[in-house]
Amino acid sequence: MAVPIRRLIMALTLCCALIGGAAACGSGTTTQDTAAAMPAAATPTPTGTPLPSTTVEKQKLAKTRFVANAGLAAGATYQWIVKPWKAGKFKKGAKGRKLALVKAGVAGAFAYNRLKAASRNAQGDPTLSKALAPLTAGIDALKDLPSKLRKGDSTDSVAGTFDSIINQVKDAGKSAGAEVKDQVPSASQLSGG
C-alpha cells in the first residue's frame, strides 16, 4: 500500500516537533536555577508579577494606586452619599429614603475600605505620606459611620463627615502631585469591596 509523500513529511515534521518540544521541556534547568540567574528586580512575586526595581518606580506605583483608590472612594461618596443627602433623600418621610440609606451605607463601607487602601498606598511615597498623615485619624473615624447611615441616625452629620474627609484627601493628593478625580464604582466593585 503506497502512502502519499505529503503524509509522510507531515508525520515526520510532527514527530520532530514533539521530540524537540519534549527535549526543551526536560532540559535539566530547575526553577531555582532560573530564579537565581534573574536579577533581584525582575524576580517574579508569587503572583507572577515583576516587582518595581527602583525607588522612583515604587513611588510612582504608590501614587497611581493612591489616585485609583481615593478616586473610587470619592466617586462612591459623591454618588451615593453626598448627592442624595443634598437632594434631601435622607430626611424622614422622603420618598425612597430606605433604599437611599441602604445604598449610602454600602457606599460608605466601600469608601472607608478604599480610603484605608489609599492610606496604605500613600506610605510608599514620602511626599504623599506626609500630606496624608494628618488625615489618618479622620479616615479611621469613618469606620462606624456606614452603619449609622443604614440606620438613618444623624444622616446630616455623617454625610457631612464623609464629604469633608474625601475633600481633605483630594486636597492632600493634589498638594503631593497626585490629583484625585471622582470615579463612580460599578455595582460589582461596591459589593466586592
Side-chain angles (χ1 to χ4, degrees):
M1 175 192 275
V3 179
I5 192 86
R6 281 191 300 193
R7 282 191 189 169
L8 286 174
I9 292 174
M10 192 62 142
L12 182 61
T13 305
L14 184 59
C15 287
C16 289
L18 289 173
I19 291 172
C25 288
S27 65
T29 306
T30 64
T31 311
Q32 290 175 338
D33 295 338
T34 307
M38 295 174 78
T43 303
T45 59
T47 60
T49 57
L51 296 173
S53 59
T54 65
T55 306
V56 173
E57 288 174 358
K58 288 178 185 176
Q59 289 174 359
K60 186 174 181 181
L61 290 175
K63 278 187 178 182
T64 303
R65 289 181 180 137
F66 167 80
V67 168
N69 284 319
L72 286 169
T77 299
Y78 180 75
Q79 184 70 30
W80 290 292
I81 298 174
V82 174
K83 212 160 101 173
W85 168 54
K86 288 183 177 180
K89 295 226 179 204
F90 296 157
K91 294 186 192 253
K92 289 188 181 188
K95 186 175 181 173
R97 180 177 188 252
K98 284 186 179 183
L99 182 61
L101 288 173
V102 169
K103 286 180 180 179
V106 171
F110 177 81
Y112 170 73
N113 181 318
R114 293 298 84 208
L115 285 174
K116 289 298 283 183
S119 177
R120 284 189 303 273
N121 298 142
Q123 293 171 359
D125 181 70
T127 308
L128 198 53
S129 180
K130 287 177 189 173
L132 208 62
L135 303 176
T136 54
I139 292 170
D140 290 338
L142 296 177
K143 185 176 185 177
D144 298 328
L145 297 184
S147 63
K148 287 184 178 182
L149 275 173
R150 271 186 242 121
K151 294 176 186 173
D153 298 342
S154 60
T155 55
D156 288 343
S157 67
V158 171
T161 302
F162 265 101
D163 192 31
S164 173
I165 294 294
I166 290 293
N167 287 330
Q168 290 174 7
V169 168
K170 286 171 130 179
D171 291 342
K174 189 173 185 177
S175 72
E179 189 171 350
V180 176
K181 296 186 186 212
D182 291 5
Q183 297 176 342
V184 178
S186 67
S188 63
Q189 286 176 313
L190 275 178
S191 64

